[in-house]
């Protein structure tokens, strides 16, 4: 639709110049003024002429009438002035032939805007804390992060996906202590991350005590844990070996979930990687006179910017979360020379990012404005909030497993003879969770209701994957058809479908501009809706003549291309058969 809008805008500008040859107006400005009317009676596109009143010093009604007079562009079937609006009705055949030709020619690249040529984006997402459970709170950063990566890649950016593992810190001292006290090798080898999480929960309980369970607090254990971490920092071989092993075990678990989602990272450099890169940045802060000592700790005062101070060093000289983020950003700038660095985390970390972004700016790094924080809201399940501290969490793995199991049950009833049933149930189950999650504006808090996510009739993942499979089966049944024959569009549903398919690119642009994958899920629902209305109202294989049948098959093929490309942007698998 971008190029159609441009064509129309140029024609409007030409009309305006005929009447007022010194008007300062360009096609880009007019194109941005074009709107999609809420009601089809008002056309497919409309120009609200009051937007031109000032420039042309004329009334909207007058402008609309003048532009409409003798207006003629090949893609426009009819155009009329109504109450200060210039309403445009597009030509169905033109739209259909355009989308069919472009989707055919560009294939997997259809809908891709040309935004990122020669530019690099680094994306920091998922980034779980090792040996702590990978729970549904991580769903957001993982799938929003990956969608943003896919969107940028689609638009031609070079992308670097970074999993900034939380792989350093006092929690490892605790884990080492717990392992030596209660753990054993075979069990950890066998049960993997579950055994580690158990040890971690147990040691935390022992350190802080648990009134309910009658366990008294044990501060000596906390000291022990701190000492073990200190040994790690000093490079103690045994502790480092244990730490590496814990990281490996945790990663192996995360990889299973990433594989289900089709996610791969380009870098797993976690927090530990930056330990030796922080001193230089701390020195720089000191040299610039930005560090202030406050109660023994080193901070950067941000009062002037309406924020609490950013903590750089604790009283004992140890570094903090912001210190590491600053060092990591500098390293990434030097390594990848990014044009944009995106961080996806829960909104709970918004202040942290605002603070250290400001510090980077104050340090004089001229790329500070290229840092982008993308926050998202909380997730609850059937109304219940997550409680991480008590170990009462829902693991992502289990959430996926439940969804897959339920889908398998539904499929057993619907289509018991389907080949490759297990794989398909996995794709649809995982897809259902992802689609449901990404259907909301990312900043909104979500209440996850499994039944809603899995419904085959609602606005869900299964519904859109089913629609994709429907395009595949129509095309398979249709077989070869004449792709060079002239098109014949006879129904409003065909025009509507073509029009919807042509809006893919501008939705991709919008999703990238706003860092909002939900733009794509909503668009996919629009396409699925338009395709299903077309499918139900227009007989494809039994069309009244060959020309109409060819047109409908070609439209189906274009719909398949668009759905498939859009699925790829939001971690959804293309399911050929359901
Ligand atoms: N590991 C952190 C957590 O689980 C998220 C890291 C986000 N990325 C960053 N560069 N701070 O809360």
């Amino acid at each position: 639709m971008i190029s159609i809008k441009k064509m129309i805008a140029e024609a409007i500008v030409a009309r305006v110049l005929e009447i007022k040859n010194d008007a300062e107006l360009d096609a880009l400005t007019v194109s941005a003024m074009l709107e999609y009317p809420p009601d089809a009676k008002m056309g497919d596109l409309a120009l609200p002429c009051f937007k031109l009143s000032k420039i042309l010093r004329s009334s909207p009604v007058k402008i609309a009438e003048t532009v409409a007079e003798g207006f003629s562009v090949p893609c426009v079937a009819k155009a009329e002035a109504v109450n200060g609006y210039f309403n445009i009705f597009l030509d169905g055949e033109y739209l259909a032939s355009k989308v069919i030709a472009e989707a055919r020619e560009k294939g997997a690249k259809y809908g891709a805007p040309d935004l990122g040529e020669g530019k690099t984006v680094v994306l920091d997402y998922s980034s779980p804390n090792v040996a702590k459970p990978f729970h549904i709170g991580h769903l957001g950063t993982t799938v929003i992060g990956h969608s943003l990566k896919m969107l940028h890649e689609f638009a031609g950016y070079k992308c670097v996906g970074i999993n900034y593992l939380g792989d350093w810190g006092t929690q490892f001292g605790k884990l080492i202590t717990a392992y030596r006290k209660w753990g054993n090798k075979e069990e950890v080898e066998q049960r993997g991350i579950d055994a580690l999480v158990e040890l971690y929960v147990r040691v935390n309980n022992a350190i802080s005590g648990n009134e309910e369970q009658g366990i008294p607090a044990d501060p000596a254990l906390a000291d022990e844990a701190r000492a073990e971490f200190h040994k790690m920092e000093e490079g103690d071989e045994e502790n480092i070996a244990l730490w590496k092993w814990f990281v490996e075990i945790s990663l192996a678990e995360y990889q299973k979930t990433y594989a289900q989602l089709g996610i791969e990272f380009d870098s797993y450099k976690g927090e530990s990687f930056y330990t030796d890169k922080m001193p230089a940045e701390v020195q720089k802060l000191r040299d610039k006179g930005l560090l202030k000592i406050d109660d023994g700790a080193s901070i950067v005062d941000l009062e002037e910017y309406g924020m609490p101070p950013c903590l750089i060093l604790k009283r004992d000289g140890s570094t903090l979360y912001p210190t590491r983020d600053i060092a990591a950003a500098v390293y990434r700038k030097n390594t990848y020379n990014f044009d944009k660095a995106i961080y996806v985390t829960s909104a709970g970390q918004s202040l942290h990012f605002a603070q250290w972004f400001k510090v980077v700016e104050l340090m004089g790094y001229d790329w500070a404005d290229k840092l982008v924080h993308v926050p998202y809201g909380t997730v609850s399940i059937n109304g219940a909030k997550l409680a991480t501290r008590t170990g009462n969490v829902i693991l992502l793995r289990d959430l996926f497993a439940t969804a897959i199991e339920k889908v398998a049950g539904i499929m057993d009833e619907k289509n018991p003879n389907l080949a490759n049933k297990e794989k398909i149930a996995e794709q649809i189950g995982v897809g259902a969770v992802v689609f449901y999650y990404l259907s909301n504006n990312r900043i909104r808090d979500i209440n996850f209701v499994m039944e809603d996510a899995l419904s085959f009739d609602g606005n869900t993942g299964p519904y859109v994957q089913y629609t994709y499979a429907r395009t595949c089966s129509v095309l398979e049944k249709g077989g070869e058809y004449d792709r060079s024959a002239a098109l014949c569009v006879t129904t409003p549903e065909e025009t509507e479908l073509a029009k919807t398919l042509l809006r893919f690119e501008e939705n991709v642009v919008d999703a990238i501009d706003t860092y909002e994958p939900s733009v794509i899920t909503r668009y996919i629902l629009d396409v699925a809706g338009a395709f299903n209305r077309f499918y139900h109202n227009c007989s494809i294989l039994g069309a009244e003549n060959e020309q109409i049948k060819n047109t409908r098959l070609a439209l189906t093929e274009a719909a398949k291309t668009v759905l498939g490309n859009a699925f790829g942007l939001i971690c959804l698998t293309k399911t050929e058969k359901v």
Side-chain angles (χ1 to χ4, degrees):
M1 220 37 122
I2 296 178
S3 63
I4 290 179
K5 277 187 183 171
K6 187 168 162 250
M7 217 149 70
I8 291 173
E10 276 163 3
I12 292 175
V13 172
R15 276 297 298 147
V16 168
L17 289 179
E18 259 177 56
I19 314 150
K20 189 173 184 329
N21 58 12
D22 60 345
E24 282 196 27
L25 197 63
D26 59 74
L28 213 65
T29 315
V30 173
S31 167
M33 290 173 179
L34 291 172
E35 291 174 355
Y36 294 106
D39 182 346
K41 283 203 240 33
M42 296 183 253
D44 301 307
L45 284 170
L47 178 71
C49 294
F50 67 87
K51 293 192 176 175
L52 291 176
S53 284
K54 229 174 150 182
I55 309 174
L56 301 180
R57 278 191 231 107
S58 180
S59 78
V61 173
K62 189 92 204 298
I63 297 171
E65 279 167 3
T66 322
V67 173
E69 240 176 67
F71 186 86
S72 161
V73 185
C75 60
V76 173
K78 185 175 92 177
E80 57 193 18
V82 182
N83 301 330
Y85 277 78
F86 178 53
N87 293 342
I88 299 151
F89 296 81
L90 299 168
D91 178 69
E93 245 143 56
Y94 181 93
L95 297 178
S97 63
K98 185 167 170 68
V99 72
I100 288 166
E102 276 186 23
R104 212 173 261 161
E105 183 198 319
K106 298 189 180 151
K109 284 254 136 221
Y110 175 75
D114 185 11
L115 299 173
E117 175 76 20
K119 295 195 191 127
T120 301
V121 178
V122 305
L123 301 104
D124 174 321
Y125 64 101
S126 201
S127 310
N129 292 330
V130 170
K132 290 192 193 170
F134 196 28
H135 55 77
I136 60 159
H138 292 104
L139 181 62
T141 170
T142 307
V143 297
I144 294 169
H146 195 66
S147 299
L148 294 179
K149 185 182 180 204
M150 293 298 105
L151 279 160
H152 281 86
E153 230 161 60
F154 194 50
Y157 289 90
K158 180 171 177 267
C159 293
V160 185
I162 301 179
N163 196 330
Y164 181 63
L165 291 174
D167 62 357
W168 199 247
T170 40
Q171 76 261 33
F172 288 97
K174 289 182 185 171
L175 201 55
I176 289 173
T177 307
Y179 176 72
R180 294 231 172 89
K181 227 171 144 65
W182 306 300
N184 73 72
K185 194 156 183 256
E186 292 70 46
E187 200 194 344
V188 175
E189 255 163 13
Q190 255 173 32
R191 295 184 47 234
I193 199 165
D194 292 345
L196 294 184
V197 169
E198 258 170 43
L199 286 171
Y200 186 71
V201 170
R202 186 165 172 188
V203 73
N204 269 321
N205 267 336
I207 287 173
S208 40
N210 189 322
E211 257 176 54
E212 266 172 43
Q213 294 170 18
I215 308 173
D218 184 353
L221 200 62
D223 290 340
E224 215 177 293
R226 223 168 287 131
E228 294 299 349
F229 178 59
H230 188 66
K231 271 164 73 185
M232 247 173 85
E233 289 190 296
E234 303 284 295
D236 177 87
E237 266 179 38
E238 239 176 83
N239 278 12
I240 292 288
L242 273 181
W243 163 74
K244 278 200 176 137
W245 184 47
F246 294 156
V247 173
E248 244 167 58
I249 286 175
S250 306
L251 253 185
E253 174 72 22
Y254 306 148
Q255 303 278 19
K256 288 186 208 154
T257 303
Y258 295 143
Q260 284 182 313
L261 289 165
I263 295 182
E264 277 173 31
F265 288 92
D266 305 293
S267 161
Y268 278 96
K269 286 196 170 68
E271 297 193 28
S272 67
F273 179 77
Y274 297 98
T275 32
D276 63 351
K277 293 172 184 57
M278 284 181 280
E281 298 313 312
V282 174
Q283 193 53 45
K284 183 158 177 155
L285 281 162
R286 213 173 269 128
D287 293 346
K288 291 235 162 198
L290 290 165
L291 280 193
K292 249 171 90 174
I293 305 297
D294 183 54
D295 199 17
S298 302
I299 61 159
V300 178
D301 190 358
L302 296 175
E303 204 184 332
E304 209 181 305
Y305 310 101
M307 288 185 275
C310 183
L311 303 175
I312 302 294
L313 296 175
K314 279 197 235 170
R315 221 190 307 189
D316 64 4
S318 55
T319 54
L320 286 135
Y321 190 39
T323 331
R324 253 186 304 281
D325 257 325
I326 293 167
V330 173
Y331 174 84
R332 290 171 191 174
K333 182 65 196 173
N334 293 337
T335 309
Y336 304 112
N337 194 21
F338 55 72
D339 295 277
K340 215 159 45 162
I342 296 171
Y343 297 82
V344 187
T345 78
S346 73
Q349 298 197 29
S350 293
L351 178 62
H352 161 74
F353 282 94
Q355 285 175 307
W356 76 260
F357 285 2
K358 193 72 199 172
V359 172
V360 167
E361 183 192 322
L362 295 174
M363 288 170 88
Y365 287 118
D366 61 1
W367 41 267
D369 61 344
K370 307 226 177 335
L371 304 171
V372 184
H373 180 228
V374 177
Y376 59 86
T378 59
V379 189
S380 49
I381 291 212
N382 298 328
K385 278 246 152 49
L386 281 181
T388 341
R389 285 199 61 81
T390 52
N392 171 25
V393 294
I394 296 185
L395 301 179
L396 213 45
R397 176 185 72 189
D398 296 342
L399 186 70
F400 285 161
T402 312
I404 294 166
E405 196 185 313
K406 295 208 164 160
V407 168
I410 299 172
M411 278 171 33
D412 269 339
E413 278 173 30
K414 270 187 166 258
N415 194 354
N417 301 321
L418 187 67
N420 215 358
K421 218 161 37 175
E422 265 169 39
K423 187 80 210 151
I424 294 172
E426 180 176 19
Q427 293 172 341
I428 300 214
V430 171
V433 173
V434 170
F435 195 88
Y436 185 84
Y437 181 79
L438 290 179
S439 295
N440 293 282
N441 277 13
R442 63 180 153 74
I443 204 67
R444 279 184 45 191
D445 294 341
I446 295 178
N447 179 29
F448 200 97
V449 181
M450 188 60 96
E451 274 61 41
D452 293 351
L454 292 183
S455 154
F456 272 65
D457 325 302
N459 286 336
T460 61
Y463 160 69
V464 299
Q465 281 177 307
Y466 190 78
T467 304
Y468 180 81
R470 176 172 275 167
T471 63
C472 297
S473 96
V474 169
L475 290 169
E476 196 184 308
K477 286 196 199 116
E480 272 314 307
Y481 65 96
D482 183 0
R483 286 155 204 258
S484 58
L487 300 177
C488 177
V489 171
T490 54
T491 66
E493 287 82 7
E494 292 161 299
T495 305
E496 190 59 37
L497 177 59
K499 216 163 58 183
T500 310
L501 297 177
L502 280 167
R503 291 183 64 176
F504 186 27
E505 182 176 344
E506 61 199 54
N507 278 285
V508 173
V509 173
D510 187 15
I512 291 176
D513 281 349
T514 54
Y515 303 99
E516 190 62 85
S518 65
V519 170
I520 302 299
T521 46
R522 273 195 293 274
Y523 174 68
I524 288 176
L525 288 172
D526 286 347
V527 174
F531 178 77
N532 284 319
R533 279 189 294 279
F534 156 76
Y535 176 85
H536 289 299
N537 293 319
C538 313
S539 173
I540 303 174
L541 301 176
E544 44 270 55
N545 65 44
E546 208 56 17
Q547 200 187 5
I548 295 179
K549 180 176 153 192
N550 285 345
T551 305
R552 292 180 180 168
L553 280 171
L555 275 172
T556 303
E557 199 169 326
K560 178 184 163 190
T561 302
V562 171
L563 284 175
N565 291 1
F567 284 8
L569 300 175
I570 56 157
C571 313
L572 215 60
T573 316
K574 294 189 264 183
T575 38
E576 311 249 320
K577 286 203 163 67
V578 173

